[in-house]
Structures are given as structure tokens and as C-alpha cells.
Amino acid sequence: MALRLLQQTDYITIAYDYGNDWLYANWHGDQNLETVQTGCGFMLDHLRAERCRKVLNDNREVTSMWADAAEWGGHEWFPAMTAGGLEYFAWVYSPNVYSRLSTDLTLQHTTRPIIVTFDDIDTAEAWLRQM
């Protein structure tokens, strides 16, 4: 992977993968409304700056429920990301059942872009490469 680090906090690391032409977001630890909204804001800024249309969203290290951000993500953030150029979003589930539930709740509020969930990162990357 030819990654260039764009942003790093205690709860998210964002990089640009020049080899695959996508934004890579790796979320860490416990998440809540504030961390999700702030991290998503960083992702939107970097998506626009890099002018990319794909995101690999990695939740494998997320350890908590963040369902209070689900409706906001579906109704506000994903439409903003779509307007910013996002077309394809590969979402790798957390092994934490409550984080998975939060992901599924977000998707219930989302119609665009094309979002596919995965249990492992290799399958997510393979799907995103073909888009």
C-alpha cells in the first residue's frame, strides 16, 4: 500500500492510498457522537482535498456502540460525502456486536452512495478495486 498519512487522532487515522486511489479511514477504540462527527468531518475534508470517489472504512478496532450518531451519519454526513464526490464506500465491520449494530442502523438511514459491508478487509479491498 502506498499510503500517505493525512490525519491521526486517538480515535481515527486517515490516509490516502495512492496505489488504489481511495481514502482509508481506520477507527480506533470507543466511539461516541462527538468522535464520530469529528472524524467524519475530517474524512469529508480529505475526500474533497484528494478528489477521490472511494473510501475504505475500517472499523475492526472499534470497541463500542455509537448508535447515537447513526441517524446523523445517514441523513447528513453521507449526503455531504456524496456531494463531495464519494461514489463507493467499503465498510469493514467491527467484531464488536454493538458497533456492528450501529453500522447497520446508519445504513438504514442512507440511500447514497453505494455502501457495501464486509467482515474482512481483504474482501473489502477486492470489491473496492473493481469499482
Side-chain angles (χ1 to χ4, degrees):
M1 267 198 228
L3 293 178
R4 182 170 66 101
L5 183 65
L6 301 174
Q7 187 98 38
Q8 189 160 18
T9 71
D10 292 341
Y11 53 89
I12 190 171
T13 300
I14 302 171
Y16 195 76
D17 184 331
Y18 286 98
N20 289 302
D21 195 27
W22 66 51
L23 203 64
Y24 173 67
N26 184 20
W27 297 83
H28 323 283
D30 289 346
Q31 301 295 327
N32 58 50
L33 180 62
E34 181 182 345
T35 62
V36 169
Q37 287 181 332
T38 303
C40 286
F42 294 149
M43 288 175 69
L44 179 58
D45 291 344
H46 293 302
L47 180 90
R48 288 175 177 152
E50 298 298 332
R51 298 181 188 179
C52 64
R53 57 187 193 94
K54 300 178 185 179
V55 170
L56 177 57
N57 192 59
D58 188 350
N59 281 192
R60 291 176 297 164
E61 298 176 19
V62 175
T63 56
S64 67
M65 176 177 263
W66 45 271
D68 53 343
E71 192 170 337
W72 171 85
H75 289 297
E76 294 184 38
W77 183 67
F78 272 117
M81 290 286 282
T82 301
L86 179 63
E87 294 178 32
Y88 304 101
F89 195 88
W91 198 328
V92 182
Y93 277 123
S94 167
N96 179 289
V97 68
Y98 298 109
S99 177
R100 283 180 82 103
L101 176 64
S102 301
T103 297
D104 292 341
L105 286 171
T106 302
L107 297 179
Q108 290 177 11
H109 298 285
T110 307
T111 56
R112 288 182 12 178
I114 296 170
I115 304 167
V116 178
T117 55
F118 300 90
D119 288 316
D120 68 272
I121 197 154
D122 293 335
T123 309
E125 289 177 343
W127 175 79
L128 205 53
R129 276 189 199 101
Q130 71 181 7
M131 293 293 113

